[in-house]
């Protein structure tokens, strides 16, 4: 039993080493497994450790990355105002640049406008001025001096009286004056107070009485009671200037002359024929644009146009036949219907300024002016 036990034991013992070996192998295997597990574990532990380590590193890396991201985010967040600020700076510059752009755009615009309105050449001015004269000749074929007269003496006196008043008022006043004093000798010998009373309606009657009585005496004493036909003689008479002299020369003697009255001076400046305001300089400047043969009728046409259409305060631009040639078009009423209501004398269907107008005027539809004190519709004019 003992031997059997011993053999059993021996078998067990012999088997034991095998088992032990197997065990060892198993143990080794297990140990290996364990070891490998352990190794894995260690490796795991180490791996875990390393995993833990690498996990820690990863975590740290993640934290670092997160921190970097946070830092980057913070930087990005901090960078946003910078971007805004950077973006804002050009924006401010852009805003500030707008007025500069406008100003820069505005500055060259002025020369462009000026360049567009090129100065008119002398040749172009002469052509335009003469074309205006031709157009006016078609509109006013009946143009004439708007003072009633029968001889040079009456025209001379009437022209002196027309200062600072209308031709109509003079025409309504002179019939009584000439009926009482028909010659220079008669007027020179008149009672000043009687003359003053007769010409009172024309205004400035005391000064005008001295002028017409003085020129009547000069005609009587120096020219044998006749009106001279030369400019140099006429301007020596009391109250007679170049304008009056040219009226008399052109209409009583048929000698060319330019009459620069208020209307004439105003219109030639509007038409840019001249910029002069002194009557003598205006006369010279305009006279150089036309042949002498045109001077007298040119004066009548321009004055007619100034009284009927191209008024001082409100020109009837919309009814003006020379509007395309006028640099001042648009200063007055441009609507055709409204402009028609501004027309005066025969153009507007009203009486003219002369009590005894030429037949050509009557043929064109003109109506004689009413005598002083008449109840007929008064003529309208400047």
């Amino acid at each position: 039993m003992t031997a059997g036990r011993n053999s059993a034991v021996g078998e067990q013992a012999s088997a034991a080493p095998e088992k032990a070996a197997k065990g060892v192998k198993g143990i080794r295997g297990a140990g290996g497994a364990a070891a490998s597990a352990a190794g894995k574990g260690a490796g795991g532990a180490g791996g875990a450790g390393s995993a833990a380590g690498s996990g820690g590193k990863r975590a740290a890396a993640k934290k670092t990355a997160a921190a970097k991201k946070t830092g980057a985010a913070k930087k990005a967040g901090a960078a946003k105002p910078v971007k805004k600020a950077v973006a804002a700076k050009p924006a401010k510059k852009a805003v500030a640049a707008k007025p500069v752009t406008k100003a820069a755009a505005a500055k060259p615009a002025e020369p462009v406008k000026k360049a567009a309105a090129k100065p008119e050449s002398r040749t172009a001015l002469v052509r335009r001025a003469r074309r205006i004269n031709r157009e006016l000749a078609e509109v006013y074929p009946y143009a004439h001096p708007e003072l009633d007269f029968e001889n040079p003496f009456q025209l001379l006196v009437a022209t002196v009286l027309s200062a600072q008043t209308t031709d109509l008022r003079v025409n309504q006043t002179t019939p009584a004056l000439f009926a009482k004093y028909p010659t220079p000798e008669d007027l020179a010998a008149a009672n000043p107070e009687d003359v003053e009373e007769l010409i009172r309606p024309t205004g400035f009657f005391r000064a005008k009485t001295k002028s017409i009585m003085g020129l009547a005496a000069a005609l009587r004493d120096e020219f044998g009671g006749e009106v001279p036909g030369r400019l140099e003689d006429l301007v020596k008479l009391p109250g007679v200037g170049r304008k009056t002299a040219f009226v008399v020369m052109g209409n009583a003697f048929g000698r060319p002359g330019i009459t620069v009255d208020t209307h004439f001076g105003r219109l030639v400046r509007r038409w840019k024929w001249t910029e002069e305001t002194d009557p003598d300089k205006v006369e010279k400047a305009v006279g150089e644009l036309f042949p002498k043969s045109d001077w007298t009728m040119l004066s009548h046409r321009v004055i007619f146009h100034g009284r009927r259409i191209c008024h001082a305060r409100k020109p009837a631009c919309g009814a003006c036949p020379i509007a395309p040639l006028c640099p001042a078009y648009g200063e007055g009423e441009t609507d055709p219907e409204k402009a028609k209501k501004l027309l005066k004398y025969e153009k507007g269907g009203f009486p003219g300024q002369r009590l005894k107008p030429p037949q050509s005027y009557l043929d064109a539809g003109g109506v004689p002016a009413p005598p002083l004190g008449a109840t007929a519709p008064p003529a309208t004019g400047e």
Side-chain angles (χ1 to χ4, degrees):
M1 298 248 332
T2 308
R5 287 178 186 171
N6 289 335
S7 69
V9 169
E11 286 174 4
Q12 288 175 353
S14 63
E18 291 177 5
K19 289 180 181 179
K22 288 180 183 179
V24 170
K25 287 179 184 179
I27 290 167
R28 282 182 186 167
S36 93
K40 287 179 183 178
S50 68
S54 72
K57 286 177 183 178
R58 286 177 188 171
K62 285 180 182 179
K63 285 181 184 179
T64 306
K68 285 180 181 178
K69 286 181 183 178
T70 307
K74 286 180 182 178
K75 286 179 183 179
K80 286 179 184 176
V82 175
K83 288 180 182 177
K84 287 181 183 176
V86 171
K89 285 179 183 177
K92 286 180 184 176
K93 287 179 183 177
V95 171
K98 286 180 183 177
V100 176
T101 306
K102 288 180 183 177
K107 285 179 182 176
E110 289 178 0
V112 170
K113 288 181 181 177
K114 289 178 183 176
K118 291 180 181 178
E120 190 174 33
S121 69
R122 179 70 180 178
T123 302
L125 171 60
V126 171
R127 286 176 179 171
R128 183 170 62 83
R130 294 185 182 186
R131 187 176 171 189
I132 287 176
N133 185 38
R134 291 194 298 271
E135 295 284 344
L136 294 179
E138 292 182 11
V139 178
Y140 309 106
Y142 47 81
H144 58 270
E146 294 193 89
L147 290 169
D148 283 325
F149 69 98
E150 295 177 359
N151 55 56
F153 171 66
Q154 288 186 0
L155 179 57
L156 178 60
V157 171
T159 305
V160 171
L161 293 178
S162 68
Q164 305 299 317
T165 190
T166 63
D167 288 353
L168 168 64
R169 185 61 67 192
V170 174
N171 292 335
Q172 291 174 327
T173 303
T174 51
L177 178 68
F178 295 144
K180 191 168 184 178
Y181 309 109
T183 67
E185 291 83 0
D186 295 329
L187 183 57
N191 182 340
E193 292 181 0
D194 293 340
V195 176
E196 287 177 5
E197 193 59 33
L198 286 170
I199 68 170
R200 184 183 291 271
T202 66
F204 304 97
F205 56 91
R206 290 191 179 88
K208 288 179 180 179
T209 295
K210 289 180 181 178
S211 293
I212 63 174
M213 290 188 68
L215 71 84
L219 291 175
R220 179 195 63 193
D221 300 339
E222 298 176 30
F223 298 99
E226 298 294 331
V227 176
R230 298 194 311 165
L231 176 65
E232 54 269 32
D233 293 330
L234 286 167
V235 294
K236 292 177 182 178
L237 300 172
V240 177
R242 289 179 68 87
K243 183 193 89 169
T244 299
F246 281 129
V247 170
V248 174
M249 288 172 59
N251 297 286
F253 296 103
R255 294 176 182 171
I258 293 177
T259 305
V260 184
D261 71 348
T262 303
H263 303 287
F264 190 94
R266 171 167 50 80
L267 265 62
V268 298
R269 283 188 288 274
R270 273 185 181 167
W271 296 336
K272 305 298 181 185
W273 290 3
T274 181
E275 294 181 359
E276 299 291 350
T277 55
D278 179 78
D280 293 349
K281 292 180 180 179
V282 171
E283 174 203 321
K284 183 177 184 299
V286 175
E288 291 173 351
L289 302 176
F290 298 90
K292 285 187 177 182
S293 57
D294 289 349
W295 288 0
T296 300
M297 288 309 299
L298 169 72
S299 300
H300 292 325
R301 292 164 190 155
V302 173
I303 293 169
F304 255 58
H305 192 63
R307 285 175 172 166
R308 285 151 179 77
I309 295 178
C310 195
H311 312 131
R313 289 180 293 277
K314 201 170 184 182
C317 294
C320 181
I322 62 166
L325 301 170
C326 181
Y329 175 79
E331 286 186 8
E333 182 57 65
T334 56
D335 181 84
E337 293 304 317
K338 291 180 181 178
K340 284 180 184 178
K341 296 178 182 178
L342 301 175
L343 302 181
K344 298 180 180 180
Y345 301 116
E346 78 283 356
K347 291 296 181 185
F350 298 104
Q353 297 200 81
R354 289 187 69 165
L355 278 63
K356 297 178 181 179
Q359 188 59 45
S360 59
Y361 179 77
L362 298 175
D363 292 342
V367 178
L372 193 64
T375 56
T380 57
E382 295 178 61

